[in-house]
Amino acid sequence: QVHLVESGGGLVQAGGSLRLSCDSSGQTHSIYGMAWFRQAPGKEREFVAAITWSTGSLYYADSVKGRFTISRDYAKNTVFLQMNSLKPADTAVYYCAADGRYSSASYSSSARYVYWGQGTQVTVSS
């Protein structure tokens, strides 16, 4: 079991910044990679960013490249998502995910991930 808890969401104006945190606990040794996904009202859940545990490789959705940065704190088993230059289109519930075992699925695919956090709301006003 891996338990994930997101924090850091809130309300910001367009152009502002937020940093999301995802704290993991439990069987964290089983994690190969972690990711952030988001889901806006009436839309499908979409990939945002991912980071691998072995090499720290980074993956980003085209919509956030150059604005968002995913990083990790090895000692605390925490993953961050630094979000800059926020746009109203970034408004969504943001979810942290962990795969929890080896998978051949893409790091950008929700199918890869077994464990999910409760989500944190990010609202960007225009």
Side-chain angles (χ1 to χ4, degrees), residues 48-103:
V48 177
I51 185 167
T52 72
W53 246 225
S54 60
T55 64
S57 297
L58 308 176
Y59 303 87
Y60 295 99
D62 288 341
S63 60
V64 306
K65 286 181 179 178
R67 299 189 299 121
F68 291 10
T69 302
I70 188 170
S71 61
R72 62 183 178 181
D73 183 324
Y74 294 98
K76 298 181 179 180
N77 291 315
T78 300
V79 172
F80 304 97
L81 184 68
Q82 178 66 48
M83 305 185 293
N84 299 325
S85 302
L86 284 163
K87 306 173 181 179
D90 296 318
T91 295
V93 177
Y94 283 70
Y95 297 93
C96 177
D99 47 23
R101 81 278 190 270
Y102 176 80
S103 174

Side-chain angles (χ1 to χ4, degrees), residues 2-6 22 93-98 115-120:
V2 176
H3 186 220
L4 306 175
V5 179
E6 302 100 331
C22 177
V93 177
Y94 283 70
Y95 297 93
C96 177
Y115 302 100
W116 297 82
Q118 82 286 357
T120 185

Side-chain angles (χ1 to χ4, degrees), residues 20-42:
L20 306 183
S21 297
C22 177
D23 296 320
S24 63
S25 60
Q27 303 297 324
T28 57
H29 61 272
S30 67
I31 296 174
Y32 285 78
M34 294 182 66
W36 290 95
F37 288 78
R38 67 187 183 186
Q39 187 166 23

